[in-house]
Amino acid sequence: MTQFLSENFLLESEYSKRLFYDYASKMPIIDYHNHLPPQDIAANRKFDTITEAWLEGDHYKWRAMRAFGIDEAYITGAASDEEKFLKWAEVVPYTIRNPLFHWTHLELRRYFEIDDLLKPENAVSIYHRCNEVLSEPSHSCNGLLSQMKVEVVCTTDDPADSLADHEQINQTGQSIHAFPTFRPDKIYEIGSEDYKKYLDSLAQLVGFNINSLDDLLEAAQKRMDAFHTVGGRLSDHSFRQLYDVDYSINRSKKLFAEVLAGKKPTDEESQVFKMTVLVELSKMYHQRGWAQQFHLGAIRNNNDRMMQAIGRDTGFDSIGDFDQIKGLRRFLSTLDQSGQLARTIIYNLNPKDNESFATMLGNFNDGSVRGKMQFGSGWWFLDQLDGMEKQLNALSNMGLLSCFVGMLTDSRSFLSFPRHEYFRRLLCGMIGKEMDRGLIPADLSYVGEIVNNICYYNAREYFNFET
């Protein structure tokens, strides 16, 4: 019988073990997409409790607790940190076959050297043991990152966000680099109720009024310059789908003026505006040598009652079922035709589209950059063993796994970095099995170099951060 979460977890062949221990496990981490608060890194925050570090903003855990029948008071409500932790401990034993079961116990082991399975009987003891460890300087935010050999984190930042925290981080000379990622979703959400309020906040930051689409694009340019100055080299966007509509800069200029005058745009008008502005932004990314990321396929905030009660983005999102490929093709082809298609990473949330995404991206590699078009790692509901394996298989079958820029956390938690280990173990397990079967040459030096590239070197070359 194989022991749970043993040192050879997911490593079922000798080749898998050699690949992981001699190669993958030694690589630093470039976490090029996450939602960590930059202010916590700048201040080197120390958490008072494991609940703060583990349960704040963690939609995965919140969804599991709701499914288990835990009252919302112990999830996003006013219960104490200890009460919330104890309720989470009630749920953990029943998360088997959900990735939370593995993640929870990997994190307890890697950060706190706790090998016990978390359950109600030992929850109070583990709560206080974790809190004691978190009080040590080695377990501040930056200490937690250093323990996992994190070299770069890329936070997710609105164009209207201050970059003062990133400036402070860069000035400290610490070994961990935190760079901002340009997330302009609010710039083109022309139909949102608070759109004009958002424009006012952006205008205040750039120092001029935004009275036209030209002003808006100039403001975006100015904020990109600020992001670039503090090390930002990539953008990120969240869409249900890229829309298959006719782009029109003149129509978008007219609509922008009408919206400022009080008009409510139709869905079709909003789609034209979004895609037109997105194309213009993407040209700017290409000009700066940035990479662009697109997260496609989520349908968000589905529970109207809970959104009214506790707000948006609180764990009521799902995999959507949208027509993705026609709009994606038009967008990529438009930029490629003018020679302004930046390095691009596309993340898919519906696994039925894996092969379609992988093959569509392959159409736009042009020999200018190794791995220019990336089918991104298993994202959100798919960053578990089955989802990651399917993504790796689709990428391998339809493209070049050897050029893949690897895993990311997409997390709000400083305790989430064992997910890189999770991915690396799966990767080495898959490749090692095929070495055993004679599908891949039994040459550890050759295959190990490819594994190291996927885990670290490909991302370092692709993003070209100034570290």
Side-chain angles (χ1 to χ4, degrees):
M1 182 180 71
T2 303
Q3 182 182 356
F4 170 70
L5 218 62
S6 71
E7 63 178 355
N8 293 324
F9 175 60
L10 300 179
L11 309 174
E12 298 177 8
S13 75
E14 287 304 313
Y15 286 120
S16 298
K17 296 170 189 174
R18 291 287 302 278
L19 288 173
F20 180 73
Y21 292 115
D22 295 348
Y23 296 93
S25 67
K26 297 180 179 181
M27 289 295 100
I29 289 173
I30 295 177
D31 198 66
Y32 55 89
H33 175 71
N34 60 67
H35 298 273
L36 297 179
Q39 61 269 25
D40 287 354
I41 303 173
N44 196 15
R45 177 185 176 184
K46 291 184 68 175
F47 296 105
D48 292 327
T49 69
I50 180 62
T51 304
E52 288 184 1
W54 227 14
L55 294 173
E56 280 186 1
D58 192 329
H59 299 178
Y60 295 92
K61 293 186 179 73
W62 293 357
R63 288 171 69 94
M65 293 172 78
R66 290 172 185 140
F68 196 70
I70 302 297
D71 187 271
E72 195 67 29
Y74 299 98
I75 302 172
T76 61
S80 70
D81 282 3
E82 183 167 359
E83 288 172 324
K84 289 180 178 179
F85 182 86
L86 297 183
K87 287 295 183 181
W88 169 236
E90 290 181 22
V91 180
V92 169
Y94 298 96
T95 61
I96 58 169
R97 300 206 78 242
N98 184 291
L100 284 165
F101 195 72
H102 290 155
W103 295 344
T104 294
H105 294 105
L106 275 174
E107 291 165 16
L108 285 174
R109 291 185 181 199
R110 298 299 178 258
Y111 293 109
F112 303 101
E113 298 183 356
I114 294 174
D115 293 335
D116 302 331
L117 298 181
L118 179 59
K119 51 191 175 183
E121 291 81 359
N122 60 15
V124 172
S125 171
I126 287 179
Y127 178 76
H128 291 290
R129 287 164 66 187
C130 289
N131 292 348
E132 184 177 348
V133 172
L134 286 170
S135 69
E136 299 171 1
S138 61
H139 282 66
S140 63
C141 283
N142 298 344
L144 294 169
L145 294 173
S146 294
Q147 285 184 54
M148 294 295 110
K149 297 188 290 190
V150 177
E151 189 175 277
V152 172
V153 293
C154 294
T155 61
T156 302
D157 308 273
D158 189 276
D161 286 345
S162 167
L163 299 175
D165 293 315
H166 293 91
E167 293 171 356
Q168 180 179 336
I169 295 165
N170 289 346
Q171 292 168 1
T172 62
Q174 60 183 335
S175 59
I176 297 166
H177 301 274
F179 301 126
T181 298
F182 190 79
R183 178 76 171 251
D185 294 356
K186 292 181 180 179
I187 278 182
Y188 41 69
E189 285 293 343
I190 196 167
S192 67
E193 294 180 0
D194 57 353
Y195 188 64
K196 286 190 278 189
K197 181 179 179 182
Y198 174 76
L199 293 180
D200 289 341
S201 65
L202 185 61
Q204 186 174 7
L205 197 59
V206 298
F208 55 84
N209 293 328
I210 300 175
N211 298 318
S212 67
L213 180 54
D214 288 337
D215 291 340
L216 179 64
L217 294 176
E218 183 182 350
Q221 286 259 27
K222 189 167 184 178
R223 292 309 295 155
M224 284 186 209
D225 290 341
F227 275 62
H228 197 91
T229 298
V230 295
R233 296 294 182 272
L234 69 164
S235 64
D236 180 53
H237 314 76
S238 174
F239 279 90
R240 288 188 175 188
Q241 62 191 131
L242 297 176
Y243 301 106
D244 184 24
V245 295
D246 292 330
Y247 313 148
S248 172
I249 192 71
N250 289 331
R251 186 180 176 192
S252 296
K253 287 180 178 180
K254 182 173 182 282
L255 178 64
F256 187 83
E258 291 173 343
V259 168
L260 290 189
K263 175 180 176 176
K264 177 73 174 176
T266 67
D267 288 345
E268 190 268 343
E269 288 173 330
S270 292
Q271 291 174 12
V272 170
F273 184 84
K274 287 178 184 179
M275 295 309 301
T276 301
V277 172
L278 182 62
V279 167
E280 296 305 311
L281 295 176
S282 295
K283 293 175 181 177
M284 300 178 197
Y285 306 148
H286 178 270
Q287 182 183 22
R288 287 167 172 76
W290 285 15
Q292 55 186 359
Q293 303 173 94
F294 298 91
H295 289 82
L296 303 177
I299 180 167
R300 301 174 186 268
N301 305 304
N302 296 291
N303 189 317
D304 294 337
R305 178 179 60 83
M306 291 304 293
M307 187 169 74
Q308 292 171 4
I310 61 176
R312 304 174 66 87
D313 302 323
T314 49
F316 297 94
D317 309 314
S318 300
I319 294 172
D321 188 15
F322 308 110
D323 181 1
Q324 297 285 2
I325 301 306
K326 290 187 292 183
L328 176 60
R329 188 214 68 81
R330 178 182 285 221
F331 172 73
L332 296 176
S333 186
T334 297
L335 292 167
D336 180 74
Q337 197 166 21
S338 65
Q340 294 171 293
L341 179 57
R343 285 165 292 156
T344 301
I345 307 174
I346 305 288
Y347 306 93
N348 172 42
L349 197 56
N350 194 324
K352 76 177 179 62
D353 293 325
N354 281 355
E355 284 75 13
S356 296
F357 272 59
T359 54
M360 181 55 68
L361 288 166
N363 296 324
F364 295 96
N365 281 311
D366 57 13
S368 63
V369 176
R370 183 173 179 265
K372 177 180 177 178
M373 307 302 292
Q374 291 278 330
F375 178 36
S377 63
W379 165 53
W380 199 345
F381 295 109
L382 303 183
D383 61 354
Q384 26 73 8
L385 297 180
D386 180 65
M388 290 190 292
E389 185 171 356
K390 286 177 178 175
Q391 184 270 341
L392 289 170
N393 282 332
L395 172 56
S396 300
N397 289 328
M398 312 299 170
L400 294 181
L401 176 64
S402 58
C403 295
F404 184 37
V405 293
M407 185 59 175
L408 49 89
T409 62
D410 190 31
S411 176
R412 293 165 174 77
S413 170
F414 285 87
L415 298 180
S416 65
F417 287 85
R419 293 183 197 178
H420 281 268
E421 176 188 342
Y422 202 52
F423 167 82
R424 292 175 180 186
R425 285 177 176 271
L426 173 65
L427 174 70
C428 293
M430 292 174 65
I431 294 176
K433 284 181 187 177
E434 296 193 352
M435 292 172 73
D436 266 350
R437 296 174 60 197
L439 297 174
I440 294 175
D443 182 337
L444 280 166
S445 177
Y446 153 62
V447 179
E449 180 181 357
I450 290 175
V451 166
N452 279 353
N453 287 342
I454 295 168
C455 294
Y456 173 71
Y457 290 109
N458 286 345
R460 190 175 74 170
E461 179 181 348
Y462 189 81
F463 297 110
N464 196 28
F465 297 118
E466 295 180 8
T467 58

